[in-house]
Amino acid sequence: MTEEQIIDACRQGNSFAQRMLFELYCDRIFMVCIRYVSQQHMAEEIVSDTFLKCFHSLKSFEYRGKGSLQAWLSKIAVNECLMFLRKQKNLSFPIEEYLSGQEDQSANAIERISVKELMSLIQKLPDGYRTVFNMFVMEGFSHKEIACHLNISENTSKTQLMKAKSFLKKQINAYEQLGTKLKG
Amino acid sequence: MNNWERNLRDKLNSVSPEGLDYHVAKEQIWKKIAKPKRKTIWLLPALTHTAAVIAGVILSGVFMFLLFKNTNNTLNPKARFRVSNAPFSQPDLVFLKKESDTAPFEQSTGTQHNALRKQPEVLNRKQIKKRNNQSVALSSERMEEKAESNIHPISRQVVSENKVENQEKPIAYWSDINEKYAQPQAPSAWVKIRKKFSRSDVSKTDSINKIPLMALTEAFR
């Protein structure tokens, strides 16, 4: 059964096809959600809301080749995460000076650090930093789009991203230094 | 997007939940998706709504009960006072006419009104005894009257109608009235007797004493 056939069956209300779609994209959607909310039970709740919304509005979805469904689902998941964070009132964006021109010293350090450690470092970021970082780096939103989604200015979005990146770089360097010391 | 960001994204996208030690409870999530949500959405508002309505009904009932209870306690004495002290009010004890004698529509509105507005009185034992005796006497009188009316109901009516027919209505004319007042009136017995026994040298009060008693009695007989 191809992706397009699954989508058509889901539109007709076929529960088997819906289950197939869920099994196909559950892990990927969960990974999107866990980057934003950092707690497993919350991420699972958002996953269920995302699929409910997906099945409800699948008739309006236009299939444009492979990957389009995943992008559409990811967009729904991100919106659900942002709604969740707004409800929790965790989203705060402290106004700070715009930081620019920092040297990229830890470009190779990412390759040396494990994914698990990297994920834990991202989850340690404050909610505002983490949201802007995920939207810009992982989902590929522009600062204008982020500003529109989060109802903030573009400069605030840039500042939040720079702060998040500098925080991550510091943490990765510290982790590397700790690893070399342990090895030594 | 620079290299650092690109590397980071690729690294994070390549990993699965199991690689990060997350065990997603897919079955539970699917149950949530498959379960219809309407029941949970509508049950709570419906319950709260009915509870609010019931509470409102109970509160309004209690309020109305207390309100009417208070009005009964406070308004009755005022009404009694008004009736008893009204300038043209009739006495408290009102006896309505017999139904057989007069039709209900013939009764005056005043008596009906008073009978309706009569308030219950607080009586002591003596008053109750007195009232009972009065009521017994009245009831016996009524019984007698009723018996009489049952024996001669028609003849009474005929007599009363004949009386009305026989009575001639007096007619007054202006000319008669004028003539009556124009004619000189005849002197009364008193004037006559005074003239007869009066003397110029005696005052009016003394002159009465001088009239013999026999002449007075004859004059006024």
Side-chain angles (χ1 to χ4, degrees), chain B residues 6 60 74 82 89 118 140 159 171 220:
Chain B
R6 209 170 285 123
S60 60
T74 54
R82 271 184 200 167
S89 68
K118 245 176 85 62
S140 62
V159 168
I171 302 163
F220 286 101

Side-chain angles (χ1 to χ4, degrees), chain A residues 125-162:
Chain A
L125 286 169
D127 288 317
Y129 292 180
R130 191 173 63 243
T131 307
V132 174
F133 176 82
N134 279 323
M135 287 177 87
F136 187 84
V137 177
M138 304 304 294
E139 268 70 54
F141 284 103
S142 67
H143 283 297
K144 200 176 181 180
E145 287 170 323
I146 293 166
C148 191
H149 273 282
L150 301 176
N151 200 21
I152 53 172
S153 68
E154 280 186 54
N155 276 342
T156 308
S157 172
K158 284 173 187 171
T159 312
Q160 297 289 311
L161 180 69
M162 290 303 294

Side-chain angles (χ1 to χ4, degrees), chain A residues 19 40 110 113 116 165, chain B residues 4-5 11 21 23 27:
Chain A
R19 183 69 197 256
Q40 191 177 345
I110 290 171
I113 195 170
K116 203 175 172 180
K165 277 161 77 173
Chain B
W4 185 85
E5 288 165 357
K11 200 162 191 173
D21 291 339
H23 301 285
E27 281 301 318

Side-chain angles (χ1 to χ4, degrees), chain A residues 32-39 42-43 46 81 84-85 130:
Chain A
V32 172
C33 296
I34 200 74
R35 285 201 303 263
Y36 282 88
V37 294
S38 75
Q39 285 184 11
M42 288 178 184
I46 294 167
C81 288
F84 181 84
L85 289 169
R130 191 173 63 243

Side-chain angles (χ1 to χ4, degrees), chain B residues 22 53 76 85 130 198 203 215:
Chain B
Y22 288 117
V53 167
N76 277 341
N85 287 356
K130 204 177 175 182
S198 66
S203 65

Side-chain angles (χ1 to χ4, degrees), chain B residues 97-163:
Chain B
K97 285 182 181 177
K98 272 199 304 177
E99 285 181 7
S100 58
D101 289 343
T102 51
F105 58 83
E106 286 176 343
Q107 290 174 2
S108 66
T109 51
T111 52
Q112 284 177 2
H113 186 63
N114 283 332
L116 288 170
R117 286 182 68 178
K118 245 176 85 62
Q119 298 297 323
E121 292 177 42
V122 182
L123 302 170
N124 56 24
R125 284 184 179 178
K126 282 181 182 178
Q127 282 177 325
I128 290 162
K129 268 190 178 178
K130 204 177 175 182
R131 287 268 170 109
N132 285 337
N133 291 335
Q134 281 179 350
S135 64
V136 167
L138 280 167
S139 62
S140 62
E141 280 176 19
R142 280 181 190 176
M143 288 290 280
E144 284 171 12
E145 281 176 14
K146 205 173 186 181
E148 281 178 15
S149 66
N150 286 335
I151 293 162
H152 305 291
I154 300 161
S155 62
R156 265 193 172 186
Q157 277 185 344
V158 170
V159 168
S160 64
E161 281 172 12
N162 288 335
K163 274 183 184 175

Side-chain angles (χ1 to χ4, degrees), chain A residues 28-150:
Chain A
R28 291 178 214 181
I29 299 302
F30 177 81
M31 284 305 294
V32 172
C33 296
I34 200 74
R35 285 201 303 263
Y36 282 88
V37 294
S38 75
Q39 285 184 11
Q40 191 177 345
H41 70 277
M42 288 178 184
E44 285 174 353
E45 203 171 302
I46 294 167
V47 169
S48 72
D49 289 345
T50 303
F51 276 98
L52 272 170
K53 212 163 214 177
C54 161
F55 296 137
H56 190 256
S57 53
L58 200 61
K59 284 175 186 173
S60 64
F61 171 69
E62 199 178 321
Y63 187 72
R64 290 172 184 172
K66 205 177 177 182
S68 63
L69 182 62
Q70 193 191 331
W72 185 65
L73 278 170
S74 299
K75 213 170 184 179
I76 293 170
V78 170
N79 284 332
E80 289 294 316
C81 288
L82 294 177
M83 272 174 67
F84 181 84
L85 289 169
R86 274 193 212 108
K87 275 183 194 171
Q88 298 281 312
K89 295 178 181 176
N90 286 337
L91 272 180
S92 60
F93 304 96
I95 299 163
E96 290 168 52
E97 284 181 15
Y98 179 70
L99 305 168
S100 61
Q102 282 199 344
E103 279 189 37
D104 196 0
Q105 294 172 349
S106 58
N108 297 322
I110 290 171
E111 290 171 6
R112 290 191 288 274
I113 195 170
S114 69
V115 183
K116 203 175 172 180
E117 289 298 328
L118 192 62
M119 195 68 189
S120 69
L121 289 175
I122 288 169
Q123 284 174 347
K124 277 178 190 170
L125 286 169
D127 288 317
Y129 292 180
R130 191 173 63 243
T131 307
V132 174
F133 176 82
N134 279 323
M135 287 177 87
F136 187 84
V137 177
M138 304 304 294
E139 268 70 54
F141 284 103
S142 67
H143 283 297
K144 200 176 181 180
E145 287 170 323
I146 293 166
C148 191
H149 273 282
L150 301 176

